[in-house]
């Protein structure tokens, strides 16, 4: 199953049972752009108005308050939690320690944008900034990185050691020291505005766009093997659960589970 936030309530949603409320945020999160289940089983939520929260012992606690808008979350191989903020650079959280990394650490002097932090197959951390730079983290700081001439939206590690880059207006790119290939409308994408990326264990890439769901496999964009539903929606989030079920979140409030056996849809009427 997956975790889903509706209003201020955190739900556990599975394909085999009814959704269950697990906990409630102490504030009403009108926009929660990032959620992460860390290796220790903790649930982290980054909100636009109220900062960063951690679910502990069945209750949410606010972790830090120096910046109220958290755009993205990621965890590296060493167990560090990384949070991209709107105005306060990039945070690295270790147990009982918070480090703020900004311009002094080499990060471009712009906000760290949503869904923009990930670790590649070698464990190296990458971040996107609003000045269109893709920057790797090494030796305690960010290198200058690469300037990419597009509005960058999201990142996902590629199995070959490179990165998948989702852009706003220029489709999906593959990056490995440089941009090696691009996929756009002419290649079969339903939209060139990319909202979410997710790789599976078969080396395929699921792509959530402003106008539907797509699947990149063996270098080609394919229509997803589902006859109706989210491929015609504005897809904002993607997740795979332990059973291999794909979960699709849409901007109109739908959460859809997609497997070979069946398709199941949850809406606001379900909580």
């Amino acid at each position: 199953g997956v975790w889903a936030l509706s209003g201020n309530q955190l739900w556990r949603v599975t394909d085999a049972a009814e959704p269950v409320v697990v906990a409630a945020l102490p504030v009403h999160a009108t926009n929660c752009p990032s959620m992460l289940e860390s290796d220790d089983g903790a649930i982290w939520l980054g909100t636009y108005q109220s900062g960063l929260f951690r679910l502990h012992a069945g209750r949410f606690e606010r972790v830090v308050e120096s910046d109220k808008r958290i755009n993205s979350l990621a965890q590296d191989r060493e167990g560090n939690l990384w949070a991209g903020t709107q105005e306060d650079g990039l945070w690295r959280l270790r147990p009982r320690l918070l480090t703020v990394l900004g311009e002094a650490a080499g990060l471009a002097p712009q906000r760290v944008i949503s869904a923009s932090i990930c670790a590649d197959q070698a464990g190296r951390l990458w971040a996107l900034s609003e000045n269109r730079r893709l920057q790797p983290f090494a030796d305690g700081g960010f290198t200058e990185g690469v300037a990419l001439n597009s509005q960058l939206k999201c990142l996902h590690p590629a199995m070959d050691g490179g990165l998948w880059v989702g852009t706003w207006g220029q489709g999906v790119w593959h990056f490995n020291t440089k941009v090696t290939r691009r996929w756009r409308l002419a290649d079969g994408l339903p939209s060139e505005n990319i909202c979410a990326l997710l790789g599976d264990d078969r080396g395929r890439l699921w792509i959530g766009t402003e106008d539907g769901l797509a699947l990149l496999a063996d270098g080609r964009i394919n229509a997803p093997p589902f006859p109706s539903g989210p491929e015609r929606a504005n897809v904002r989030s993607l997740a795979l659960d332990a059973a291999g079920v794909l979960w699709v979140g849409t901007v109109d409030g739908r959460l859809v589970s997609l497997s070979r056996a069946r398709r199941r849809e949850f809406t606001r009427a379900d909580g």
Side-chain angles (χ1 to χ4, degrees):
V2 294
W3 300 97
L5 189 70
S6 179
N8 71 331
Q9 293 183 320
L10 181 68
W11 294 74
R12 182 64 173 173
V13 186
T14 67
D15 195 40
E18 294 302 311
V20 176
V21 176
V22 176
L25 278 169
V27 297
H28 186 78
T30 56
N31 200 327
C32 178
S34 53
M35 181 186 305
L36 175 73
E37 182 174 5
S38 55
D39 291 342
D40 60 1
I43 305 300
W44 300 79
L45 293 177
T47 70
Y48 268 178
Q49 289 109 352
S50 304
L52 181 64
F53 291 84
R54 177 178 180 264
L55 181 64
H56 177 69
R59 297 180 62 184
F60 277 106
E61 56 185 17
R62 184 182 274 116
V63 179
V64 286
E65 298 185 74
S66 61
D67 187 285
K68 291 188 176 180
R69 181 162 175 171
I70 309 296
N71 287 335
S72 48
L73 294 170
Q75 187 176 29
D76 63 24
R77 291 185 178 182
E78 297 177 356
N80 299 312
L81 184 77
W82 296 82
T85 72
Q86 183 76 0
E87 303 292 347
D88 202 17
L90 187 64
W91 298 347
R92 177 175 58 189
L93 291 90
R94 296 174 178 169
R96 303 185 182 278
L97 176 66
L98 166 65
T99 304
V100 178
L101 301 172
E103 290 182 59
L107 193 63
Q110 299 287 334
R111 63 192 63 168
V112 179
I113 63 177
S114 178
S116 62
I117 310 169
C118 82
D120 62 22
Q121 292 293 323
R124 182 167 54 172
L125 189 79
W126 294 80
L128 298 178
S129 59
E130 282 197 339
N131 67 351
R132 304 186 177 191
R133 297 200 74 86
L134 176 59
Q135 295 182 258
F137 182 82
D139 300 323
F142 286 90
T143 67
E144 185 177 357
V146 180
L148 300 176
N149 187 27
S150 179
Q151 183 178 349
L152 309 175
K153 185 69 176 176
C154 48
L155 283 176
H156 195 78
M159 293 186 72
D160 65 356
L163 297 168
W164 298 108
V165 182
T167 73
W168 197 256
Q170 295 191 38
V172 175
W173 300 353
H174 179 265
F175 177 88
N176 199 339
T177 69
K178 63 179 181 180
V179 176
T180 61
R181 188 170 175 183
R182 296 174 171 86
W183 289 263
R184 306 192 65 172
L185 284 173
D187 301 297
L189 279 176
S191 169
E192 293 184 349
N193 293 336
I194 309 302
C195 305
L197 299 172
L198 178 68
D200 62 21
D201 57 5
R202 297 168 60 183
R204 304 179 303 176
L205 183 71
W206 292 96
I207 305 167
T209 81
E210 193 179 40
D211 195 30
L213 182 67
L215 178 64
L216 176 60
D218 298 324
R220 298 187 299 274
I221 299 290
N222 300 310
F226 310 108
S228 63
E231 61 267 34
R232 292 196 297 269
N234 188 327
V235 176
R236 289 302 176 94
S237 56
L238 299 168
L240 279 171
D241 66 19
V245 176
L246 177 70
W247 294 81
V248 181
T250 68
V251 76
D252 61 356
R254 285 185 289 162
L255 179 63
V256 184
S257 66
L258 301 168
S259 66
R260 293 183 180 181
R262 64 172 179 169
R263 172 183 180 271
R264 188 178 183 192
E265 182 173 313
F266 302 88
T267 67
R268 290 188 175 94
D270 300 299

